[in-house]
Amino acid sequence: QGDFVDIPWGSDVATKFVTNVGLITSNGPHGPNIMAAEWTFHLSYKQGLVAVAIGAGKAPAENIEPTKQFGVNLAATDQSVMTSISGGYSGRDTDKIAALKELGFSFDSAQKIKAPMVKDAALNIECKLVMTIPLGDHTLFVGEALTTSTSDKEPLAYHTGKYWKLTIPVEKPSTDERERIKTVVERHRRRTVS
């Protein structure tokens, strides 16, 4: 099996990662559902591909597998309550969409899939499932983007078990510093042998 270590949820190692908050929507055997997924990734520009890692046996996975479709909605900074509800309850025993609507949150009808889409999210992508990859205790669902839309809202970030708003950019190296770096790197370029 090889040597490996676990990286448990909430551990010092796991909380060093900075991620976005994907609100994954689906509609299948468990009805319309929403789930907060920290592991939501953009994988490819040309053939727009997005992936989300979902724990085995979770309601969203059981909605996505038979329908072959899901929505990716990146939570905006004013959607932390929606995110907490989406991640804090199971779609097996709670109609989270109905609860969120009662709390004043809105959903739009999707154009190409049958899942609800989060209104006023930073980003919405309707996806067709093209691949599933079992990885450890999660399954990676890879979706091809069918439609996309963005708002002017800033995406919510997640780090150290808290939600964050990114407000202070870290400056890239100056033009002079980039030239100095380029000179050093060029001195260490590997030469191919013919």
Side-chain angles (χ1 to χ4, degrees), residues 155-177:
L156 188 65
Y158 186 74
H159 174 62
T160 62
K162 299 175 188 164
Y163 301 128
W164 297 84
K165 182 176 182 173
L166 303 176
T167 57
I168 302 171
V170 176
E171 295 297 321
K172 290 185 173 182
S174 67
T175 302
D176 289 344
E177 182 66 7

Side-chain angles (χ1 to χ4, degrees), residues 52-170:
V52 59
I54 300 175
K58 299 282 186 178
E62 293 175 356
N63 270 358
I64 294 168
E65 286 166 345
T67 64
K68 308 289 189 242
Q69 53 185 239
F70 59 97
V72 173
N73 310 267
L74 291 189
T77 54
D78 63 351
Q79 294 175 325
S80 64
V81 170
M82 176 182 263
T83 299
S84 293
I85 292 167
S86 299
Y89 296 89
S90 169
R92 288 181 179 286
D93 54 28
T94 304
D95 185 342
K96 294 183 275 185
I97 300 288
L100 288 164
K101 285 180 179 178
E102 187 173 328
L103 288 167
F105 292 98
S106 298
F107 294 84
D108 290 324
S109 296
Q111 297 173 33
K112 303 221 175 205
I113 64 173
K114 292 189 169 129
M117 300 300 287
V118 175
K119 187 174 182 70
D120 297 325
L123 169 68
N124 301 101
I125 304 176
E126 296 177 30
C127 295
K128 175 181 84 172
L129 182 67
V130 294
M131 184 181 299
T132 58
I133 306 167
L135 296 169
D137 56 7
H138 280 63
T139 298
L140 194 66
F141 291 86
V142 179
E144 180 178 56
L146 301 175
T147 66
T148 64
S149 63
T150 61
S151 73
D152 59 357
K153 293 186 174 185
E154 183 180 348
L156 188 65
Y158 186 74
H159 174 62
T160 62
K162 299 175 188 164
Y163 301 128
W164 297 84
K165 182 176 182 173
L166 303 176
T167 57
I168 302 171
V170 176

